[in-house]
Amino acid sequence: MSAKSKSASAARKVQKKPIVQSAVPHLSANSAGSPERDAELFAHGVTLFNTRYFFEAHEAWEEIWLHTAPPEKTFLQGLIQVTAAFHHHSRENLRGTKSLLRTGLLKLEDFPPHHRGLHIEKLRKIARRWLEVLNSGKTVSWPALPKISPAPNNHK
């Protein structure tokens, strides 16, 4: 391949989201694990996810996951794995995308359609669609990237 065709090929590659160094604030020792801080980090993770900062969303939720007991720990792990899958996709690692989507979905399947104020079934449905495409081997057109929606007002 000539230098000219290499640069043209590189120009066609998908633009990758820059890593945001300070997207997740560092917890001080006295606020680690407080319900208020966990709620703040959880909401921040949702915002990061919805703005396609998948790695940073994963990091925010992992801070909560580290000190959370089951079954909520399982929910957070499933959410983290699905999020990490989309980070792998942004880095063109389809094997990692597929593996993490599968394991994350398995964990999320144990939870109701609306959990922790979020519309989890909608996220699961989109993640299942991504798995279908990945399993088909036909990646000509990717489904839309998911966003995490709030649950309807009458669900917690």
Side-chain angles (χ1 to χ4, degrees), residues 29-47:
N30 61 0
S31 68
S34 75
E36 298 81 17
R37 184 66 178 142
D38 285 357
E40 181 183 313
L41 271 174
F42 189 79
H44 187 57
V46 171
T47 299

Side-chain angles (χ1 to χ4, degrees), residues 1-15:
M1 184 180 280
S2 72
K4 185 176 181 179
S5 60
K6 281 183 185 178
S7 65
S9 173
R12 286 191 299 269
K13 285 203 179 228
V14 176
Q15 290 286 345

Side-chain angles (χ1 to χ4, degrees), residues 2 24 35 44-45 48 55 70 73-74 83 85 90 93 96 108 127 136 154:
S2 72
V24 180
H44 187 57
L48 289 166
F55 180 81
K73 187 175 197 87
T74 303
T83 302
S90 73
N93 176 357
L108 292 178
S136 76
N154 58 348

Side-chain angles (χ1 to χ4, degrees), residues 86-123:
F86 289 107
H87 172 69
H88 279 280
H89 180 263
S90 73
R91 301 291 181 223
E92 300 175 11
N93 176 357
L94 299 185
R95 186 174 177 187
T97 304
K98 186 175 175 178
S99 172
L100 284 164
L101 273 177
R102 188 176 21 246
T103 57
L105 267 172
L106 280 173
K107 288 176 180 69
L108 292 178
E109 293 294 348
D110 292 337
F111 292 87
H114 303 107
H115 184 71
R116 206 167 174 157
L118 302 176
H119 196 325
I120 298 305
E121 183 54 33
K122 189 174 180 181
L123 175 63

Side-chain angles (χ1 to χ4, degrees), residues 126-143:
I126 294 168
R128 286 185 206 110
R129 177 68 188 120
W130 272 81
L131 268 178
E132 287 174 13
V133 172
L134 286 161
N135 287 331
S136 76
K138 298 175 186 173
T139 56
V140 175
S141 178
W142 293 108

